[in-house]
Amino acid sequence: MRIAKRAAVLSPSLTLALTAKAKAMKADGKDVLSFGAGEPDFDTPDFIKEVAIEDIRKGVTKYTPVRGTPDLLKAIVEILAKDYGLVYTPQEIIVSLGGKHSLFNLMYAIVDDGDEVIIPSPYWLTYPEQVKACGGKPVVVDCPPEAGFKITPEQLRSAITDRTVAFVLNSPGNPTGAVYTAEELDALGAVLEKYPHVAIISDDLYQKLVYPPATFASLPVVVPSLKARTFVVNGLSKAYSMTGWRLGWMAGPKEVISVVNNLQGQSTSNPVSFTQRAAATALRSDHAFLDPWLEQFAKRRQLIVEGLNALPGVKLDPAPEGAFYAFPDVSATYGKSYNGRKIEGSMSFAEVLLEEGNVSVVPGIAFGEDRCVRLSYATSEDVITNGLKRIADFLAKLG
Ligand SMILES: Cc1ncc(COP(=O)(O)O)c(C=O)c1O
């Protein structure tokens, strides 16, 4: 069967493939410790679940407006005002089936064949694939650990061409946990102000998961002149532990949002009916449930940062300041072998560590940085402590 060119260019998700392997090993009775999770290990708060359950019972099970119910749009307007101090109207917002869906719809709406989208690397692996799926060209800019995993104003300036349609900024970042400061955003904003044809995609999914002294900053807040061409993407997955609910949104210029509304209306239609009042309730809550989660994440972060840096051949610099990932450099182990199996890069590091050491991590090559691997600390302190011990044993046996 012939496959369309625009679909054939898509790569399978490396992270999903290895997660599947780890799951299969667990199903076979192997005691695998996993650092692979891309989602918080907490349950969705009960007060949010109750609203959805009530709505299912009440029969809120039919189509809603494509862009989301007026009340949910209002709740999003409110949270953007509260968290960012930015003023939006409901026409500038659309709710989709997760932030990933919002991003895809956005790429579809603004990327034409051959258009370029600037993506700092390491990147969340979905960005380049979505750009390619829409016929565009991902322009990947290398931001190594030595540069704090952040793009510099000079790098941004030299990546912009006449074909650039958008620049993707993800802070706190997946997989690095890097958080841009307001000063850094100000300097990037000064470059962007000179290129009005470039839209800004601010992927803020980890906005609420930042560890002091770091603080969250956002481009359209730091450089207000950019708001008119910035798309702020967010959702409930990470901060509310609602990955399976599939609810995300974006806020941006209404002429594009209206095109996305047409696209969504002809593809997936509305977000799930009975998640929407629950989502509005979550957004309007006092967010008290977040405090103990952040406390736990902060503890686990410290455990994993100290533990990784104590391992020979492993370097975690800079340490993550947000999200729930650590992205250490393990390249000092490349060229060594375990039981005759040679470690040639992050892919074989992750494979051999999983199969021989029963620990699952994600290869950095999936995120554009082959020197590193990603460990998620959205898991218990026990798993972190024991997993680090296993990694230490594994490293000790490399020859
Ligand atoms: C950086 C980043 N953006 C967006 C998403 C999308 O999340 P969701 O589609 O669950 O809202 C993720 C999920 O892993 C992510 O890591």
Side-chain angles (χ1 to χ4, degrees):
M1 185 81 184
R2 195 185 73 88
I3 305 290
K5 277 196 223 91
R6 66 176 178 279
V9 293
L10 294 181
S11 313
S13 166
L14 277 177
T15 52
L16 289 184
L18 264 173
T19 312
K21 193 171 205 172
K23 275 194 182 145
M25 284 173 65
K26 274 189 191 168
D28 278 352
K30 291 237 166 69
D31 161 37
V32 173
L33 295 180
S34 176
F35 290 101
E39 57 190 351
D41 53 328
F42 308 117
D43 197 5
T44 302
D46 279 339
F47 76 92
I48 303 174
K49 286 184 187 172
E50 291 306 329
V51 178
I53 293 166
E54 197 180 295
D55 274 1
I56 293 178
R57 293 221 163 92
K58 279 197 321 212
V60 184
T61 54
K62 303 288 165 60
Y63 293 134
T64 74
V66 167
R67 69 170 69 215
T69 62
D71 187 56
L72 176 54
L73 296 174
K74 191 159 165 273
I76 295 168
V77 166
E78 288 163 13
I79 196 103
L80 285 163
K82 183 170 153 223
D83 287 0
Y84 293 73
L86 293 177
V87 180
Y88 286 94
T89 62
Q91 291 72 39
E92 294 170 303
I93 293 168
I94 183 161
V95 184
S96 306
L97 296 162
K100 190 183 262 184
H101 186 213
S102 302
L103 286 162
F104 182 84
N105 285 351
L106 177 57
M107 298 293 182
Y108 190 93
I110 65 173
V111 175
D112 261 327
D113 279 349
D115 283 346
E116 296 173 3
V117 176
I118 299 173
I119 302 172
S121 166
Y123 45 74
W124 180 45
L125 51 106
T126 292
Y127 304 134
E129 298 305 317
Q130 290 192 341
V131 171
K132 286 192 285 174
C134 295
K137 183 177 157 212
V139 175
V140 170
V141 178
D142 195 29
C143 310
E146 295 75 18
F149 295 123
K150 293 176 188 174
I151 190 168
T152 64
E154 294 68 38
Q155 283 181 304
L156 176 58
R157 185 177 296 112
S158 54
I160 296 175
T161 71
D162 292 347
R163 292 306 305 264
T164 308
V165 289
F167 164 57
V168 179
L169 192 89
N170 173 219
S171 172
N174 177 6
T176 65
V179 178
Y180 283 79
T181 65
E183 292 71 34
E184 288 162 346
L185 294 182
D186 194 46
L188 294 176
V191 174
L192 291 162
E193 275 187 311
K194 297 203 181 83
Y195 299 94
H197 65 292
V198 179
I200 295 115
I201 302 175
S202 186
D203 179 346
D204 295 358
L205 258 284
Y206 298 93
Q207 174 218 345
K208 291 188 186 295
L209 307 181
V210 180
Y211 310 103
T215 52
F216 174 76
S218 169
L219 250 182
V221 178
V222 177
V223 188
S225 63
L226 296 178
K227 178 177 175 260
R229 54 187 162 107
T230 298
F231 297 88
V232 174
V233 179
N234 212 329
L236 296 180
S237 285
K238 314 292 175 174
Y240 302 82
S241 209
M242 291 171 68
T243 47
W245 293 59
R246 308 312 303 133
L247 198 139
W249 59 84
M250 73 179 133
K254 68 171 182 292
E255 61 278 16
V256 178
I257 298 294
S258 133
V259 170
V260 170
N261 194 38
N262 297 341
L263 165 65
Q264 194 163 295
Q266 301 296 3
S267 52
T268 54
S269 287
N270 58 275
V272 178
S273 58
F274 46 81
T275 62
Q276 297 188 49
R277 194 168 64 93
T281 307
L283 292 174
R284 291 190 176 118
S285 74
D286 62 7
H287 293 83
F289 61 89
L290 247 185
D291 296 337
W293 291 2
L294 283 171
E295 216 172 281
Q296 287 210 48
F297 274 144
K299 262 209 232 155
R300 298 162 175 186
R301 171 176 157 267
Q302 186 164 349
L303 197 60
I304 205 161
V305 168
E306 286 172 2
L308 285 169
N309 272 325
L311 296 174
V314 176
K315 195 164 119 196
L316 183 62
D317 184 24
E321 298 185 302
F324 40 72
Y325 308 107
F327 199 56
D329 181 335
V330 295
S331 61
T333 65
Y334 299 173
K336 298 187 175 170
S337 299
Y338 188 102
N339 278 346
R341 298 179 69 180
K342 194 159 176 202
I343 311 276
E344 278 160 328
S346 62
M347 191 69 199
S348 54
F349 181 95
E351 262 170 14
V352 180
L353 178 63
L354 175 61
E355 286 162 18
E356 307 280 348
N358 288 337
V359 174
S360 144
V361 300
V362 186
I365 195 165
F367 309 101
E369 175 52 89
D370 196 31
R371 285 186 285 166
C372 300
V373 292
R374 191 190 76 176
L375 286 85
S376 159
Y377 52 89
T379 186
S380 71
E381 289 181 42
D382 268 0
V383 168
I384 296 173
T385 308
N386 293 327
L388 287 170
K389 271 194 207 130
R390 287 190 193 177
I391 298 175
D393 289 346
F394 173 80
L395 294 172
K397 287 189 197 133
L398 288 178

